[in-house]
Amino acid sequence: MNIGKTLIHWYEQYQRELPWRTTKNPYLIWVSEIIMQQTRIQQGLPYYLKFVTDFPTIEALASAPQDKVLLNWQGLGYYSRARNMHETAQIIVKNHNGIFPSSYHELLKLKGIGPYTAAAIASFCFNERIPAIDGNVNRVISRIYDIELPINKGPGQKMVRDFSIQTLGKNDPCTFNQAMMDFGALICTPTNPLCKNCPISLECKSLKNNTITLRPVKEKQAPPKARYFTYLVVNHKGSTLLMQRQHNDIWKGLYEFPMWEFDSPMVAEEFLQLPKIMKLLKGCRISSISENRLPIHKLSHQNIYSQFIQLTTEPLPKISNTLEVKADELKNYALPKLIINFLHHQKKEFSRI
Ligand code: SF4
C-alpha cells in the first residue's frame, strides 16, 4: 500500500473546510499557521478571521502600530508570535518588496518562522517537496512506524522526518501535508484514535504491536518555573495606572498594573511596608485596601502565582513609566489573559471605580 496516496484519497473525501485551504497566498497561510500553533481550530478560527480583516495584506500588518497588533491578538497567548509576525512583516516589506520568499530555506531565515511553518508555506504555496511536521504529524508517523525514540530529541526527530519524507514520496506535497494534519486531527487523535475507520490500519505497526497508547514517546521537560507577581491596583475617581511590559520576558509590549516580582509569596501587609512601596504611596490618602489572589496561571514553562492589592487613594500615586487610564478605557489596551481574568473577577468592583 502507498500510505501517502491512501491518506490523500481519504483527505479528498473527509477534509475539513477551512478558510485558508482555498488560498495559495503565503501571507494568509502564514497568518493561519502562526495563529493555529498550540491552538484548537475552534478557538483560533475567529482570531484568524479578525486578524485578516484588520490586516488584510502584509503591508497593512507592517504599517500597523504594535499596540494594535497585540490588541488584536489579545487572549490568544504566546504574544511573541504576534510581535515576531509584526517584525517579520516589516522586514518582508522593506527587504523583499512585500513578496514572501518562496523556498523552505529562505523562509527559515525569517524571525518566528520555524521548520514547521516554513515547510507549510513552502509546500502549500510553492509546492516544495517537503513534509510539514507538527504535533499531529509527529503522532501519526510515530504510530504508523511504531517509533520508540522520543520525538522531542534529535534522533527521534530525525527518524520522524525520514519516515515523513518516505511517506510523502512522489505525492503532491501540498495535499499530502494537509491530509496528514486532518488525519491526525480527525482519525489518529491523541486519545482513542478511530482505528476501526482508519484507511491505513493494515500498515500501522503500533496497531499490530499494541503500542498505540505509548506513541509518541516524549522525554519529560523540566518542571515549570514558579513566579510570584504582586500587582498594585490603585483607583482614584474611576482611574487607575497601567504600565507597558518592556523587558524580554513573557507578555512584552502588553499592559498591566504596576507589578513587583518576588521569589516567594508575599503578604499584603508586608508588601505595603516595603520602603520602596511606602515611598511611592507617600502623600496619598488611602481609604480602602483589599487583596485578591487568582488561581495559578499556567503558561507552557511557567506557573504564575498572582496577587492583586487594590487601594483606593487620593490622589493616584506617582509611579514612573505608568499611564493614567479610566476604567472604561482598559479595553483599548492589550492586556495579558491574567489581567483580563482579574478584571472579570472584579467586574462589579471595577464598574464602580
Ligand atoms: S491504526 Fe489507529 S493508531 Fe494506527 S494510524 Fe490508524 S488511527 Fe492511527
Side-chain angles (χ1 to χ4, degrees):
M1 180 195 286
N2 180 324
I3 295 176
K5 200 178 246 176
T6 308
L7 289 175
I8 286 176
H9 185 61
W10 170 87
Y11 174 74
E12 282 161 355
Q13 297 171 71
Y14 300 107
Q15 64 180 277
R16 294 174 294 181
E17 302 280 330
L18 299 168
W20 50 90
R21 287 272 166 85
T22 53
T23 181
K24 291 266 180 194
N25 179 334
Y27 171 67
L28 298 179
I29 298 290
W30 177 49
V31 172
S32 72
E33 291 301 335
I34 300 291
I35 287 181
M36 292 304 156
Q37 281 169 22
Q38 328 258 2
T39 307
R40 284 175 293 110
I41 295 270
Q42 294 92 320
Q43 192 205 352
L45 189 54
Y47 278 93
Y48 169 80
L49 296 172
K50 189 153 79 80
F51 198 93
V52 298
T53 302
D54 286 358
F55 314 112
T57 61
I58 195 158
E59 289 79 10
L61 176 59
S63 61
Q66 191 191 68
D67 274 3
K68 192 176 170 196
V69 179
L70 292 175
L71 189 58
N72 182 294
W73 201 269
Q74 183 174 274
L76 196 51
Y78 301 95
Y79 290 88
S80 57
R81 292 183 295 174
R83 286 194 305 272
N84 288 340
M85 276 182 83
H86 188 225
E87 204 177 307
T88 296
Q90 290 172 336
I91 290 167
I92 292 176
V93 167
K94 193 167 162 233
N95 299 349
H96 301 264
N97 250 344
I99 297 167
F100 253 83
S102 60
S103 76
Y104 173 77
H105 288 290
E106 286 303 310
L107 285 159
L108 259 190
K109 292 178 189 164
L110 297 169
K111 194 168 183 183
I113 297 193
Y116 164 73
T117 309
I121 298 171
S123 63
F124 296 170
C125 308
F126 307 110
N127 250 29
E128 186 167 334
R129 187 165 296 283
I130 187 159
I133 301 172
D134 68 350
N136 279 331
V137 175
N138 266 311
R139 182 175 62 255
V140 170
I141 292 289
S142 295
R143 286 176 176 167
I144 298 174
Y145 298 99
D146 199 14
I147 294 175
E148 292 175 15
L149 295 174
I151 54 149
N152 51 350
K153 294 283 158 189
Q157 285 169 341
K158 184 176 180 314
M159 192 172 269
V160 169
R161 188 175 160 73
D162 290 348
F163 275 125
S164 299
I165 291 169
Q166 179 190 313
T167 314
L168 163 62
K170 290 192 166 36
N171 293 299
D172 169 54
C174 169
T175 321
F176 171 80
N177 282 334
Q178 290 178 343
M180 288 291 281
M181 287 169 200
D182 279 14
F183 180 73
L186 301 175
I187 300 287
C188 196
T189 48
T191 49
N192 304 320
L194 306 176
C195 302
K196 286 200 175 121
N197 300 337
C198 175
I200 54 167
S201 58
L202 289 176
E203 300 290 326
C204 178
K205 292 198 168 50
S206 287
L207 181 65
K208 194 170 158 212
N209 299 339
N210 200 19
T211 54
I212 292 171
T213 53
L214 304 175
R215 304 288 176 258
V217 176
K218 281 188 195 162
E219 199 151 284
K220 278 220 168 91
Q221 308 280 2
K225 182 182 172 198
R227 299 181 70 177
Y228 301 89
F229 289 2
T230 297
Y231 287 101
L232 190 59
V233 186
V234 287
N235 138 30
H236 171 62
K237 292 186 178 170
S239 291
T240 188
L241 296 177
L242 285 185
M243 62 199 321
Q244 190 174 29
R245 288 179 69 89
Q246 302 287 356
H247 302 293
N248 278 333
D249 191 1
I250 54 167
W251 309 332
K252 185 180 174 191
L254 273 67
Y255 292 83
E256 62 183 3
F257 301 109
M259 188 275 283
W260 287 262
E261 183 170 1
F262 298 97
D263 294 334
S264 55
M266 176 56 71
V267 177
E269 292 74 24
E270 198 186 326
F271 173 77
L272 292 169
Q273 295 297 321
L274 291 173
K276 60 186 173 189
I277 302 301
M278 288 179 69
K279 196 171 160 199
L280 286 177
L281 296 173
K282 201 172 166 199
C284 297
R285 198 174 62 81
I286 299 173
S287 55
S288 75
I289 301 177
S290 62
E291 182 193 4
N292 273 291
R293 289 176 192 268
L294 292 192
I296 303 170
H297 189 72
K298 294 189 176 189
L299 303 175
S300 51
H301 303 296
Q302 304 183 17
N303 285 342
I304 311 290
Y305 296 78
S306 62
Q307 168 191 34
F308 293 81
I309 297 174
Q310 293 167 263
L311 303 181
T312 305
T313 64
E314 161 95 57
L316 283 174
K318 300 238 175 305
I319 303 179
S320 53
N321 300 321
T322 57
L323 48 133
E324 190 176 327
V325 177
K326 295 262 180 221
D328 61 0
E329 290 170 354
L330 286 168
K331 61 181 179 303
N332 300 330
Y333 293 85
L335 309 169
K337 186 89 192 328
L338 175 67
I339 302 296
I340 295 170
N341 290 347
F342 167 74
L343 292 174
H344 283 160
H345 187 73
Q346 294 295 304
K347 210 168 177 190
K348 278 190 195 148
E349 274 76 359
F350 251 81
S351 60
R352 279 193 232 123
I353 70 171

